[in-house]
Amino acid sequence: MGVCKMSSNIERCYQCGQCTAACPMAEQEQAYKIRRFLQMEKLGLKSEEPMAIPFIFYCTTCYKCQDNCPQGVKIVDGLLSIREAAVRNGNILPAHRKIGQMLMDSGHAVPGNEDAKKRRLQLGLTEMPPTVASSEKQLNDIKILLNLSGFDQIVAEEKA
Ligand code: SF4
Ligand code: SF4
């Protein structure tokens, strides 16, 4: 599916399935099988990546799988690497793209809205919290960093 940048040691996996058995997300969604995603990554099955979308984004990083692995596989690191490769291949979920764009625009994944601004003023607070959103310079600095990292390209709308 992609090149693992994190040291996830998934080559130690012998497919016992204890991770999937412990995973709360697998209880909710039958198609979510962390063991299978690790196997796909291990075998370099890049062509199967689209089949794993959106499931690889369902993981809540609760680490129950990792706690149950008899081989000490760094499962969550492995999954995060798989996600990263998928996103860099353009397989980003629309909701994640939207959140990324909001981050680019306002410096926050959840920007302040008019109602929140009004309530803050009623409480005697500044209209915006004293974070990057209230500083044009800091917001610009954040944008430069996101730009240099290529984040802006990743969250840009797909060309028709
Ligand atoms: S519990 Fe560990 S060894 Fe077993 S399938 Fe999951 S990652 Fe592989
Ligand atoms: S970290 Fe992710 S894959 Fe592991 S048990 Fe939790 S939800 Fe499942």
Side-chain angles (χ1 to χ4, degrees), residues 18-62:
Q18 288 197 47
C19 49
T20 299
C23 174
M25 191 47 67
E27 282 179 30
Q28 304 298 318
E29 170 57 67
Q30 283 197 337
Y32 186 89
K33 290 187 171 59
I34 182 62
R35 176 186 64 81
R36 181 163 170 261
F37 302 142
L38 295 179
Q39 182 73 340
M40 286 165 64
E41 175 72 9
K42 212 169 134 183
L43 296 175
L45 299 176
K46 292 185 178 59
S47 61
E48 294 204 20
E49 181 179 290
M51 288 165 53
I53 309 293
F55 306 115
I56 56 171
F57 295 102
Y58 287 3
C59 172
T60 60
T61 64
C62 70

Side-chain angles (χ1 to χ4, degrees), residues 90-131:
N91 290 314
I92 183 171
L93 298 186
H96 294 168
R97 189 189 299 280
K98 192 80 191 155
I99 289 169
Q101 288 170 351
M102 286 194 282
L103 192 62
M104 288 291 300
D105 290 342
S106 69
H108 284 267
V110 184
N113 57 42
E114 291 310 313
D115 188 45
K117 287 179 188 172
K118 203 158 75 180
R119 284 170 189 254
R120 284 183 60 84
L121 289 174
Q122 285 168 351
L123 291 167
L125 301 168
T126 54
E127 194 175 63
M128 292 295 287
T131 62

Side-chain angles (χ1 to χ4, degrees), residues 13-19 35 38 69-71 73 75:
C13 172
Y14 55 24
Q15 291 290 298
C16 69
Q18 288 197 47
C19 49
R35 176 186 64 81
L38 295 179
C69 176
Q71 285 291 89
V73 176
I75 300 171

